[in-house]
């Protein structure tokens, strides 16, 4: 662990969120979450058979793909909360790793112990979530994407989410 220095100011206002919270959300968290959702939708659509049909006319790929970003968000949200804490910022990376490993083991054990879950596409969850834990960790620790790449990627993920809502409503 690096020797980080904590500087305290007298009579400083309390902050519930860290100073770089906007940067963490817009350049680190949302772009990777958007990329995860887009790739999950495409993966589920390709796995079902007719890629074009499941991508544009069927809601199942969009609904199943929602679980992947929600699953990988647990260690990420924990990292954001701990990194913003004055007392626990130094253990945020360790807790991210611990939580991601526990969730990966849970997913793999579920895949091994519940073979009937393959009907719901558990194999694609294993294939998608494990690399996303590494990608999220890399962007959290090393810094975010440039704004020219982060914002369009986030907008594309939001577009997929809204289109999935429209498809879900219409069909």
């Amino acid at each position: 662990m690096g020797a980080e220095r904590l500087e305290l100011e007298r009579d400083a206002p309390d902050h519930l969120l860290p100073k770089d919270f906007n940067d963490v959300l817009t350049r680190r968290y949302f772009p990777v979450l958007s990329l995860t959702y887009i790739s999950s939708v495409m993966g589920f659509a390709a796995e079902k058979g007719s890629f074009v049909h499941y991508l544009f006319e069927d809601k199942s790929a969009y609904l199943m793909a929602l679980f992947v970003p929600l699953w990988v968000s647990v260690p990420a949200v924990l990292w954001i909360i701990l990194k913003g804490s004055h007392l626990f910022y130094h253990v945020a990376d360790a807790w991210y790793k611990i939580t991601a490993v526990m969730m990966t083991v849970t997913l793999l054990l579920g895949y091994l112990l519940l073979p009937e879950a393959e009907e719901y596409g558990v194999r694609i969850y294993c294939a998608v979530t494990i690399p996303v834990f590494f990608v999220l960790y890399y962007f959290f620790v090393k810094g975010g994407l440039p704004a020219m790449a982060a914002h369009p990627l986030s907008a594309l993920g939001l577009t997929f989410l809204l289109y999935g809502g429209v498809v879900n409503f219409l069909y």
Side-chain angles (χ1 to χ4, degrees):
M1 300 233 185
E4 294 184 35
R5 199 172 133 177
L6 179 65
E7 295 181 22
L8 300 175
E9 292 179 36
R10 184 179 299 271
D11 298 328
D14 292 333
H15 295 287
L16 183 61
L17 299 173
K19 290 180 183 177
D20 62 344
F21 184 70
N22 253 353
D23 180 57
V24 168
L25 283 183
T26 60
R27 293 188 47 224
R28 298 177 188 193
Y29 181 62
F30 287 147
V32 176
L33 210 60
S34 296
L35 184 62
T36 303
Y37 183 65
I38 293 166
S39 62
S40 299
V41 167
M42 291 186 176
F44 280 116
E47 184 186 35
K48 296 278 187 179
S50 176
F51 179 74
V52 174
H53 170 73
Y54 283 100
L55 189 62
F56 293 111
E57 298 177 12
D58 193 27
K59 64 182 178 185
S60 63
Y62 290 96
L63 290 176
M64 292 296 290
L66 280 175
F67 293 108
V68 177
L70 289 175
W71 182 259
V72 298
S73 290
V74 172
V77 169
L78 183 65
W79 185 90
I80 291 170
I81 291 169
L82 289 176
K83 201 63 171 177
S85 169
H86 293 296
L87 296 174
F88 302 112
Y89 71 94
H90 62 285
V91 296
D93 293 338
W95 271 102
Y96 181 92
K97 292 174 189 174
I98 291 167
T99 309
V101 166
M102 287 187 339
M103 292 177 73
T104 302
V105 168
T106 302
L107 194 62
L108 291 174
L109 284 175
Y111 176 70
L112 293 173
L113 297 175
L114 303 169
E116 67 273 2
E118 183 53 39
E119 179 180 326
Y120 302 109
V122 174
R123 180 168 288 155
I124 196 83
Y125 284 116
C126 292
V128 171
T129 57
I130 296 170
V132 172
F133 284 135
F134 291 112
V135 171
L136 267 171
Y137 182 73
Y138 177 78
F139 281 111
F140 279 151
V141 172
K142 298 293 182 185
L145 288 168
M148 299 256 320
H151 299 312
L153 192 57
S154 297
L156 188 62
L158 184 61
T159 303
F160 264 69
L161 185 65
L162 291 175
Y163 184 76
V166 169
V167 169
N168 191 19
F169 180 72
L170 292 178
Y171 296 104

